[in-house]
Amino acid sequence: ITAFGRSDCPEKAERAFQILERMLVATEKGNMAAQPTTHSYNAVLNACAFVRGDENMRLHAFDIAMKTYDMLKENGTPDHTTYGTLLRICATLIPSSDTKREP
């Protein structure tokens, strides 16, 4: 997951999320070694934070990030890295013209 986050792959958010989903399925099937940690979820969030591309790609990465964060809250415990990465996600993925940016 971390490797995708550091790559130039345009679909890195989607690909990192797919790995996380595979880890969850493997855990459900009894492979406890595949159980995602907070670091696993944070790595997906990091991949989302560094997506480059057009507005649609960035908004898709934002959606993946929010889904990942919700999954982390259900299955684990967010930490300081989680929240710092979420701030970066908001700063880089929400368009400057979006009303969410208004105080």
Side-chain angles (χ1 to χ4, degrees), residues 9 14 19 29 42-43 49 54 59 69 75 85 90 93 96 102:
C9 178
E14 183 73 35
I19 294 170
K29 291 181 178 180
N42 287 344
D54 63 19
L59 289 175
Y69 176 62
N75 301 316
T85 306
C90 292
L93 299 181
S96 57
E102 293 179 15

Side-chain angles (χ1 to χ4, degrees), residues 48-65:
C48 294
F50 289 96
V51 164
R52 301 293 176 248
D54 63 19
E55 187 173 321
N56 287 333
M57 288 178 71
R58 291 192 311 271
L59 289 175
H60 182 60
F62 183 82
D63 291 340
I64 291 170

Side-chain angles (χ1 to χ4, degrees), residues 36-98:
T37 62
T38 300
H39 178 78
S40 306
Y41 290 95
N42 287 344
V44 175
L45 292 174
N46 191 63
C48 294
F50 289 96
V51 164
R52 301 293 176 248
D54 63 19
E55 187 173 321
N56 287 333
M57 288 178 71
R58 291 192 311 271
L59 289 175
H60 182 60
F62 183 82
D63 291 340
I64 291 170
M66 294 302 99
K67 184 187 279 189
T68 301
Y69 176 62
D70 289 340
M71 291 168 65
L72 173 56
K73 290 190 301 184
E74 288 177 21
N75 301 316
T77 306
D79 63 11
H80 64 284
T81 302
T82 307
Y83 296 112
T85 306
L86 285 171
L87 289 172
R88 178 179 291 277
I89 286 166
C90 292
T92 60
L93 299 181
I94 298 175
S96 57
S97 61
D98 196 304

Side-chain angles (χ1 to χ4, degrees), residues 1-48:
I1 296 173
T2 301
F4 273 117
R6 293 181 179 165
S7 76
D8 291 331
C9 178
E11 322 70 45
K12 65 175 144 187
E14 183 73 35
R15 302 280 298 272
F17 187 73
Q18 288 170 353
I19 294 170
L20 180 65
E21 287 182 315
R22 286 198 323 249
M23 292 171 73
L24 290 167
V25 168
T27 301
E28 288 174 9
K29 291 181 178 180
N31 183 356
M32 298 315 290
Q35 185 170 9
T37 62
T38 300
H39 178 78
S40 306
Y41 290 95
N42 287 344
V44 175
L45 292 174
N46 191 63
C48 294

